Amino acid sequence: MSEVTLWTSELSPFSLKIEACLQFKDVPYSCLPQLSQPLKSFLGAVKVEWGKRRNKVYKYPQMTDLDEYPGVPYLIEEDGRIQYDSTAIAYWLDGQVQLRPALWPDDPKLAFVARLLDDAMDEFGIYLVHHMRWSISPHTNDAGKRLHKEFGSLLFWSGEEKFAREFSRRQTSRLPYLFSMPPQGYDAQLPDYLTAPIKQGWPQTHTLLNDAWTDFINCLEKILRVQPYLLGERFSMADASLYGMFGMLLDDPTADEDMQARAPKLRQWLVDIRAGRHCHNISEKPLYLSDEVLPLLELVCEVFLPLMQQNEAAYLEKKQQGETLFNEAAWRKDRALYTGELRGHPFKAVVKTFQVQVWRDLQAAWKQLSQSHRQELSDQVSGLVQL
C-alpha cells in the first residue's frame, strides 16, 4: 500500500489509535504538521480545511447527517482523498491491507466485542482521559507546549508560552462539555486559566469519573497480567482503542504516576505499543474472549450503554421540540441540554448527534449477529441485554 499522510497531533487519542493501526498493518505514513516542513504543513492544513468546508472529506463507508468533523486526525491518501473517523479508517485499512492480520477479528462475536470496546472508548473513555488530563493533571501536563511544537510552522503570531496558556484555558473551559463537572464550591487552588468552570444547576461528575477511572485501570491491569492483549495473543482493534485513550496519558505526569502506582502492567503495555512492539511476531496468533475480559465488558455496559440510550432519547425529544443545534455549538449556547443518571450519579450534558450515530450503528451490529451468537454473549455479559 502506498504511503499515506496523517493530519494529526500526538495529543489526540484518536491519532494515537490510528498510528498504532497503521504500524500494525505495516502501512508507511508520515505526519503533518511538521516544524521542519512549513510549506507542506501549510498546504496540508489548507487541503483539510478546504475539504471540510466543501463536504469533500470521506468517511468509510459513508457519512450521515448525524456525523461531525473532528479536529484531528485526517488521513490523506496518495491520490489526495481525505478520510476521517478513526474507527472507519480501521475498517478501511483491513480492506486495503489483507496480507497482515486483520484489526477487526474474523469471528463475529469477537468482532462485536472489539466494536463495543472501541465505541465505549471513543464516547466514554474520552471523558475519562480528558478528566485526568485537565482536572487531575492540569498543573503538571505540558500539552499546550507540545501542541505549539507540532503546529509551530503554522503559528506565526503566537509564542510558545502564550499559546500554551491559551490552549490550557480553552481545554479547561470545555470540561463540562466533556462531562467533567466539579462539585459546587470546589477549589483546586490553581490559576484561573487552569480552573474548570462550575455551572450552576449542573450535578458534579468528578466522583463518577474518578470511580470509573479506578475501575477501568483495575480491570485492564487484571487482564494484562494473564494475557498479552485484550482479545488473546495478538493486537486487535480492541487494543488500539484502549491504547489510544490511556496511552495519551503517558505524557501527563500526574495521570502517568497514578497508572504506574496502581496499574504498572497496564502502563508497560501502553509503553510497549507506543514503541511498536505490538507489531512483532503476530502471524497465526489466536484471538479469544477470556473470562478475565468479562468484568471489563460489564463495566462498559454500566457506563457506556446507558449514556448512549439517554443521549438518543434526549435527541429525539429535542428534535420533536424543534431544536436544530446540537453538539459543542449548542453547549456554548446552553441549548439541547438534558439530564440523566449513570451508576446512581446524576449528570447534565448536551445532546451529541455523533453519539446517536454510534449508538444506532452498534445496535445494528448487534442485530446482525446470529441469534445464537447474541445469546452466547448475553449469557457471558448480562449488561448486553440493554441492546
Side-chain angles (χ1 to χ4, degrees), residues 306-315 338 350-352 355-356:
L307 178 63
M308 295 299 100
Q309 288 175 324
Q310 292 172 86
N311 180 75
E312 184 190 40
Y315 169 73
Y338 73 99
V350 66
V351 172
K352 295 173 181 174
Q355 288 186 345
V356 174

Side-chain angles (χ1 to χ4, degrees), residues 64-296:
T64 76
D65 291 339
L66 296 173
D67 287 308
E68 183 182 60
Y69 289 137
V72 290
Y74 291 90
L75 184 145
I76 306 173
E77 298 176 54
E78 187 180 37
D79 63 3
R81 188 174 71 164
I82 305 170
Q83 296 192 47
Y84 85 101
D85 189 274
S86 57
T87 299
I89 290 171
Y91 277 114
W92 176 79
L93 281 173
D94 270 350
Q96 297 296 309
V97 185
Q98 299 178 11
L99 296 178
R100 302 277 285 187
L103 291 160
W104 296 97
D106 294 328
D107 179 270
K109 290 191 299 180
L110 293 181
F112 179 80
V113 169
R115 180 165 195 151
L116 175 65
L117 289 172
D118 180 65
D119 288 344
M121 287 300 99
D122 284 1
E123 307 306 334
F124 185 81
I126 190 72
Y127 296 156
L128 284 183
V129 296
H130 275 284
H131 173 72
M132 293 302 295
R133 172 170 283 175
W134 295 108
S135 289
I136 306 301
S137 305
H139 55 300
T140 60
N141 83 63
D142 63 348
K145 291 182 178 180
R146 288 190 286 131
L147 189 66
H148 186 274
K149 183 177 180 180
E150 288 183 308
F151 284 77
S153 60
L154 305 175
L155 300 173
F156 307 109
W157 63 90
S158 182
E160 179 185 272
E161 291 295 333
K162 180 180 178 181
F163 177 85
R165 184 184 180 98
E166 290 306 309
F167 177 72
S168 296
R169 185 192 306 278
R170 174 186 180 273
Q171 293 302 90
T172 53
S173 72
R174 296 176 68 241
L175 279 170
Y177 173 71
L178 294 168
F179 216 73
S180 180
M181 174 57 61
Q184 297 295 318
Y186 179 73
D187 183 5
Q189 298 184 333
L190 293 171
D192 288 345
Y193 74 95
L194 291 177
T195 301
I198 300 176
K199 298 175 77 69
Q200 295 298 318
W202 286 53
Q204 68 93 4
T205 58
H206 278 203
T207 301
L208 169 64
L209 293 176
N210 289 338
D211 289 349
W213 164 259
T214 295
D215 291 341
F216 268 100
I217 64 172
N218 285 345
C219 282
L220 292 169
E221 182 73 3
K222 290 176 181 177
I223 294 168
L224 296 172
R225 286 188 180 278
V226 299
Q227 60 193 66
Y229 296 101
L230 296 180
L231 295 182
E233 301 301 314
R234 69 162 176 85
F235 184 85
S236 72
M237 197 60 200
D239 304 289
S241 306
L242 272 292
Y243 164 70
M245 291 298 157
F246 290 88
M248 81 174 224
L249 297 176
L250 290 172
D251 295 309
D252 294 345
T254 304
D256 182 45
E257 289 168 8
D258 188 58
M259 283 194 292
Q260 179 62 53
R262 298 201 286 168
K265 189 68 176 179
L266 167 62
R267 184 187 181 277
Q268 185 58 52
W269 181 79
L270 297 170
V271 170
D272 287 343
I273 295 177
R274 183 164 68 174
R277 298 188 184 101
H278 63 298
C279 303
H280 301 166
N281 303 318
I282 58 175
S283 61
E284 305 304 322
K285 295 289 187 178
L287 296 177
Y288 49 80
L289 180 60
S290 69
D291 289 343
E292 283 75 17
V293 178
L294 301 183
L296 174 64

Side-chain angles (χ1 to χ4, degrees), residues 66 68 177 314-320 322-331 335-337 350-354:
L66 296 173
E68 183 182 60
Y177 173 71
Y315 169 73
L316 295 174
E317 180 182 359
K318 298 298 180 182
K319 284 281 289 184
Q320 189 175 32
E323 181 60 84
T324 58
L325 191 66
F326 300 98
N327 305 328
E328 191 162 2
W331 172 75
R335 288 171 57 179
L337 302 177
V350 66
V351 172
K352 295 173 181 174
T353 59
F354 51 88

Side-chain angles (χ1 to χ4, degrees), residues 352-368:
K352 295 173 181 174
T353 59
F354 51 88
Q355 288 186 345
V356 174
Q357 188 64 55
V358 166
W359 176 235
R360 292 176 178 177
D361 288 345
L362 183 65
Q363 288 181 303
W366 176 252
K367 291 176 182 176
Q368 287 169 7

